[in-house]
Amino acid sequence: MEVGHRGVGLMWQQYVALLRKNAILTWRHKRSASLYNSALAPALPTNNVRDPEALSEFNAIPPCEDKFFVKTPCYDFFWSGNSSSRNIASIVQAIMANNPRRPIPSNKVMSFKTQDDADKWLLDNPLRCPGALHFTVKNATVISYAIQTNSTGIARRGRYEDPTFKFQIPLQIAAEREIARALIGDPNFRWNVGVKEFTHPPTKTFSALGQVGPTFFLAIAMFGFVFQISSLVTEKELKLRRAMSMMGLYESAYWLSWFTWEAMLTLISALLTLLFGIMFQFPFFKNNSFVVLFLLFFLFQLNMISFAFVISTLISKASSATTVGFSIFIIGFLTQLVTTIGFPYSKTYEKRYRIMWSLFPPNLFAKAVKTLSDATFTAEDPGIRWSSISKCTKREPDCVITIETIYKWLITTFCVWFILAIYLDNIIPNANGVRKSVFYFLNPGYWTGRGGSKVREGSILSWMGWSPPMEETSPTDEDVLAEEKAVKQQIELGDDVAVQVRGLTKTYPGTFNISCTACCCKCKRTSPYHSIKGIWVNLAKDQLFFLLGPNGAGKTTTISCLTGITPITGGDALIYGNSVRSSVGMANIRRLIGVCPQFDILWDALTAEENLALFASIKGLPPSETKTVVKKLLADVKLAHAAHFRGGSFSGGMKRRLSVAISLIGDPKLVFLDEPVNMHALELLPALLICRQRVWIQ
C-alpha cells in the first residue's frame, strides 16, 4: 500500500476524488431545482405608430351580458320620449333592426315616457342596463337626444373595460345614423364612423424584467448560494474537512473541487434561465445576444460562489447558513432597488461611490439587467449584440458604465472574493483555535514545502487568548527524569527516533464572565487550566506505544497537539524531523501519519467503500490499487459485508471500525489511534496489537 502520487499529481488525484464526492452528495441530497414561471412576463413593446388604422368595431351595440359585473336578466339599452312622437318609436325600431352583426330583440330594450321615469327605474334596478337614449322632438326637422351611461371603468381578471368605447360610442353612432335616415327619408343612407388615434412614438409600458427581474434572478442564485454555504460550513462543523486535512489534503485541491462543482451547477443554471426566457418569448431574451446574456448570468453566479466562500469562512454553524443567506438576499434586494433608480451609475455621483457599490455582485447585476431591458424597450430597439457591449444605449444619456465594463468588474470582484476567502480561511481560527500567521504566504516554505523542521513565519498559531506561564515543576519519577534528560541532550533526531517531544505544553486560558443584578455587576475570571505540563519523550520507530491515564489526564490533548488539531502553548515536537509548530512541517507530517480521532468523522451519505476510497485518494494511493486496498481494509475490520451500506446507517461499533480502517490507509509511518476500541469493537484489539503498523494508542 505504498503512496503513489506526490506534488501536482497528488493534488490532481485529490481534486478528482473531491469532485466525485461532491457529485455523489449532491445527487443523494437531491438539491431543489430553481423553478421558473411566467410571472415576470413583460408588457410587449410597441412600435412607432405613424399611420394608425381606423377602428370600426365600435359600430355595434354589444349584448348587455358582455358588461362586467352585470345583473341578469339585463337590457341592452332603454330609451325615453315615447310620448312625444311616433317618429321616435320608429327610430328606436330601426336602431334595433340595423345593429351590425346582430339585430337586438325587443325583449332586450325597454321604453319610458320621460327621463325622470327612467332615472327612477335605474335607482331601483342597479346594474341592469349599460346605457340609455333620451329623445326630444324640437320640430319637424330637429330631433335631439342625450346619452346616459356609467363612465366608471372596471377591471376584471386583468382585463379593463372602458364604458365610453364599449357602450357610449356604439349608442351614439346608432342614434345619429337612424335620426339622419329618418329626417332625410332615405333608409339606405350610409353613416360610417371610425375611431382613429393620433400618430405617436412607442407607448411607454411597464417592463417587469427591468424593474423586478434583478430581484427574481437574485432569488434564483440565492438557492445555490445558501446550499453552498451550508455544505461548506457543515463539513467544517462536523470536522470532515479537518479529517481530510489530517490525511494530507491540499488546500488548493479542496477549494478547486468546490469551485469546479459549483461552477458546473452555475453553468447549467445560466443556460436554463436563458432557455426558459427564450421559450416564453420574452423580448429581453430574444432581442439581446445569447452570448451577452449568458456571460452576464454566468459571471454573476460565479461571483456569488466566491462570495459564498468568504461567508463560509466567517460562519461556524450550519444552522446559521440559511439565516445569513436570507439576510444577504434582503440586503441585495434593497441595494438592487436603489441601483434601478440610478444610484450611483450616473454622472451625478462621484466615481468612488461606484467603486464601493460595485464590490457587491447583485448591484452590478441589477445595473446590467436594467441596461439590457432598456435596450429592448420597444420592438424597434435592436438590443445589445456582442459588437456593441462597449457602447452605451440610446436610452442612457447619462451613461457611465457599459456591459463590457460590468463584465470586467464581475471578473475582478470574483478574483477578489475568491482570494480573500482562501486568505481568511487560513488566518481565522478554527473551532480549536488553530490558525496561520497573517503573513503566512510570505514564507517560501509555504510554496516549496521545505523548511518544516523550524518554526518561522507561517507557523501554526493559537487564538485561545493569553494565559500566564506555567510554573516549572520537576518530575519525581526517575524514569521520567532520565527520559527528559536524554531528550534535552539529543539535539538532532537519531535514525531510530520517530517522534521527539520537547517540553510540550498546552494551557487553556481562563474565561472572563460578567454577571449583573439589579444593584451591581460582578466580574469573575476562572484560572487557566494546564492540560499538558511539559512532556519530554522519544518514541522509537517500529514501536507500539500506549499512552495510559485517567480521564482528564491530557491523553487526547497530547494526540491533538501532535496531529495539528490543537495548537500547542509551549515547547515543540518533531515527527520525522518536522516541527508540529510549523505549518509547513505539519503539512509534511500529515502525509506520513494516519489518525483515528476520538470521535468518528465520516460522511453519512457515503457508503463504507466510498468513504475509504475518498480518503485513499487523498492519501495518495494509486487509483489502480485503491479498490484492492479498500476491499482488504474492510475485510481486516470485519466490514466486508457492509461495504455498500451508507455510513449513516452504521452502529457505533461499525463506525469505529471504519475510522480505524481509514487511519491505516497508505501504510503510514506513524499511526495515532485515540480510543480505537470500545465496548462495541473489542474484537479489534488483537488485530491492532499484531498489525505491522507503527502505532501510538491511547
Side-chain angles (χ1 to χ4, degrees), residues 304-431:
M304 296 306 294
I305 290 176
S306 58
F307 195 64
F309 286 168
V310 174
I311 299 300
S312 68
T313 63
L314 306 175
I315 302 175
S316 57
K317 299 292 182 181
S319 57
S320 304
T322 303
T323 303
V324 172
F326 182 75
S327 300
I328 293 175
F329 171 70
I330 295 298
I331 295 172
F333 168 72
L334 296 176
T335 58
Q336 283 185 338
L337 288 180
V338 176
T339 303
T340 55
I341 64 176
F343 177 86
Y345 300 106
S346 70
K347 297 178 181 177
T348 309
Y349 306 98
E350 297 181 14
K351 185 177 181 180
R352 57 178 178 174
Y353 295 124
R354 291 195 292 273
I355 293 175
M356 292 186 292
W357 197 254
S358 299
L359 291 175
F360 190 41
N363 297 337
L364 287 167
F365 182 70
K367 175 58 180 174
V369 172
K370 182 68 168 58
T371 301
L372 291 168
S373 180
D374 289 342
T376 56
F377 187 77
T378 69
E380 295 185 352
D381 289 327
I384 295 181
R385 323 309 299 175
W386 181 255
S387 59
S388 61
I389 60 173
S390 60
K391 302 176 183 178
C392 295
T393 62
K394 64 180 182 180
R395 298 189 181 276
E396 289 185 295
D398 199 20
C399 175
V400 294
I401 187 170
T402 63
I403 295 296
E404 182 183 38
T405 308
I406 292 175
Y407 285 161
K408 293 177 180 178
W409 263 106
L410 288 174
I411 294 173
T412 302
T413 52
F414 163 75
C415 296
V416 169
W417 290 123
F418 191 76
I419 294 172
L420 181 62
I422 297 176
Y423 178 70
L424 292 178
D425 182 65
N426 282 279
I427 68 169
I428 293 179
N430 62 18

Side-chain angles (χ1 to χ4, degrees), residues 437-673:
S437 168
V438 176
F439 301 104
Y440 71 93
F441 54 89
L442 298 178
N443 177 21
Y446 175 77
W447 306 100
T448 63
R450 300 175 181 176
S453 60
K454 296 181 180 180
V455 181
R456 57 181 65 182
E457 193 67 45
S459 61
I460 298 176
L461 303 176
S462 173
W463 194 260
M464 303 301 291
W466 177 87
S467 59
M470 183 185 65
E471 297 181 1
E472 294 187 5
T473 57
S474 299
T476 57
D477 189 281
E478 294 183 359
D479 293 335
V480 174
L481 283 170
E483 182 70 19
E484 179 178 332
K485 184 178 180 181
V487 174
K488 290 181 178 179
Q489 292 177 349
Q490 188 176 12
I491 299 177
E492 296 184 0
L493 296 182
D495 294 336
D496 60 336
V497 177
V499 180
Q500 185 176 84
V501 183
R502 300 174 175 177
L504 185 64
T505 302
K506 178 61 182 177
T507 302
Y508 293 96
T511 58
F512 185 77
N513 299 319
I514 300 178
S515 58
C516 295
T517 60
C519 58
C520 62
C521 292
K522 296 182 179 179
C523 299
K524 183 180 180 181
R525 181 181 180 87
T526 60
S527 58
Y529 176 70
H530 302 288
S531 179
I532 306 175
K533 300 181 179 180
I535 299 178
W536 297 81
V537 64
N538 281 335
L539 300 181
K541 297 179 181 178
D542 300 320
Q543 175 181 324
L544 190 63
F545 183 88
F546 285 83
L547 184 62
L548 305 177
N551 291 337
K555 304 182 298 299
T556 296
T557 304
T558 301
I559 293 179
S560 297
C561 290
L562 294 177
T563 55
I565 297 175
T566 301
I568 65 177
T569 306
D572 196 3
L574 298 179
I575 299 179
Y576 286 94
N578 296 282
S579 171
V580 298
R581 297 191 62 183
S582 167
S583 59
V584 177
M586 184 52 66
N588 296 331
I589 290 171
R590 285 168 174 167
R591 299 187 186 100
L592 303 174
I593 66 174
V595 182
C596 174
Q598 190 176 21
F599 301 100
D600 300 304
I601 303 176
L602 307 169
W603 276 271
D604 290 343
L606 299 182
T607 65
E609 188 176 64
E610 290 168 345
N611 270 287
L612 279 171
L614 172 61
F615 282 107
S617 297
I618 293 174
K619 196 67 177 179
L621 263 68
S624 58
E625 300 179 12
T626 299
K627 189 173 182 179
T628 304
V629 171
V630 168
K631 186 176 181 180
K632 181 180 183 303
L633 286 172
L634 287 173
D636 290 341
V637 295
K638 301 182 180 180
L639 286 178
H641 65 286
H644 301 291
F645 294 172
R646 296 189 185 182
S649 64
F650 281 11
S651 65
M654 296 172 71
K655 289 182 178 180
R656 206 72 196 128
R657 297 181 195 178
L658 188 56
S659 297
V660 171
I662 290 173
S663 68
L664 302 178
I665 291 175
D667 194 16
K669 290 185 175 182
L670 181 67
V671 181
F672 293 91
L673 303 175

